[in-house]
């Protein structure tokens, strides 16, 4: 069956450290993968997209990797700040290329 | 641009009541979709539309109807509300479908629905 999993429901880290979130998928062949941020009471907001032929993508303090052999994407936030506390969702296109499928999300808390 | 707007923000219904969740976007996006978000289950697709006059079912369509008479609007109807439909509902839009391009989705602020 098809599945998208994010490694943990919640992750607590100390301010200034690097947060690493994991997204694993099964029985999908995505051409790209996206990461979204969701704050409480709000809709998800797009952060980064990485294509299957890209190993790594960076945007300011964010870095995403994509390993199609392992069927895994890692999302890193360097020099984390309390303002980075949110739920982070990964998403990919389904095998019909019609719709996005979302992982359950990881709730990140950055402690001062 | 207002982006994607949803009304109402909160709603409480009794079992068996009907209602329509409104969604509108002003970005001239062809693709619109409705998701529900439940704890631990992520966003699940209810219905989607690839353009005015065209709709299709997603992963969890039962109990919901949609229509797309204009590019801007994509209302979601609950015909006879059930407690299992208690959830947060998000409307989203994008320029095209997920596989057609690398376009991203823009989400509305959500509607929190409780069915008693």
């Amino acid at each position: 069956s098809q599945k998208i999993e994010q490694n943990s429901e919640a992750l607590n880290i100390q301010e200034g450290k690097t947060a690493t979130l994991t997204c694993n998928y099964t029985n999908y062949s995505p051409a790209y993968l996206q990461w979204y941020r969701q704050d409480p009471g709000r809709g998800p907001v797009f952060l980064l997209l990485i294509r299957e032929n890209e190993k790594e993508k960076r945007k300011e303090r964010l870095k995403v990797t994509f390993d199609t052999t392992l069927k895994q994407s890692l999302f890193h936030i360097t020099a984390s700040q309390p303002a980075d506390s949110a739920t982070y969702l990964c998403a990919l296109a389904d095998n019909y290329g019609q719709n996005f499928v979302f992982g359950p999300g990881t709730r990140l808390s950055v402690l001062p | 641009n207002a982006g994607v707007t949803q009304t109402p923000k909160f709603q409480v219904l009794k079992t068996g009541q009907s209602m329509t969740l409104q969604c509108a976007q002003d970005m001239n996006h062809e693709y619109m979709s409705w998701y529900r978000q439940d704890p631990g289950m992520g966003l699940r697709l209810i219905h989607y539309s690839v353009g005015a006059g065209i709709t299709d079912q997603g992963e969890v369509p039962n109990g919901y109807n949609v229509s797309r008479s204009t590019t801007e609007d994509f209302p979601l109807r609950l015909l006879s509300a059930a407690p299992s439909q208690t959830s947060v509902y998000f409307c989203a839009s994008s320029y095209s479908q997920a596989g057609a391009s690398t376009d991203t989705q823009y989400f509305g602020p959500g509607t929190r629905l409780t069915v008693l």
Side-chain angles (χ1 to χ4, degrees), chain A residues 9 32 34 36 38 40-46 49 51 87 89 91-94 96-105, chain B residues 9 31 35 37 40-43 45 48 56-57 90 94 96-105 107-110 112:
Chain A
E9 191 173 324
Y32 59 92
Q34 301 180 343
Y36 289 76
Q38 185 175 22
R42 294 179 174 265
V45 175
F46 171 77
L49 177 153
R51 296 180 177 81
T87 296
L89 309 169
L92 48 81
D94 66 21
Y96 301 100
Q98 290 181 321
N99 298 298
F100 290 99
V101 183
F102 284 81
Chain B
K9 291 203 73 154
Y31 182 82
Y35 294 89
Q37 188 173 39
M41 301 194 71
L43 290 157
L45 184 67
Y48 65 97
D56 208 343
Q57 297 180 349
F90 290 100
S94 62
S96 60
Q97 287 180 274
S101 78
T102 56
D103 206 16
T104 65
Q105 290 196 94
F107 284 83
R112 186 174 295 273

Side-chain angles (χ1 to χ4, degrees), chain B residues 20-38:
Chain B
T20 299
L21 308 186
Q22 301 291 345
C23 173
Q25 52 91 12
D26 62 358
M27 297 174 282
N28 203 30
H29 284 168
E30 289 296 322
Y31 182 82
M32 295 185 74
S33 53
W34 275 102
Y35 294 89
R36 60 178 288 173
Q37 188 173 39
D38 302 291

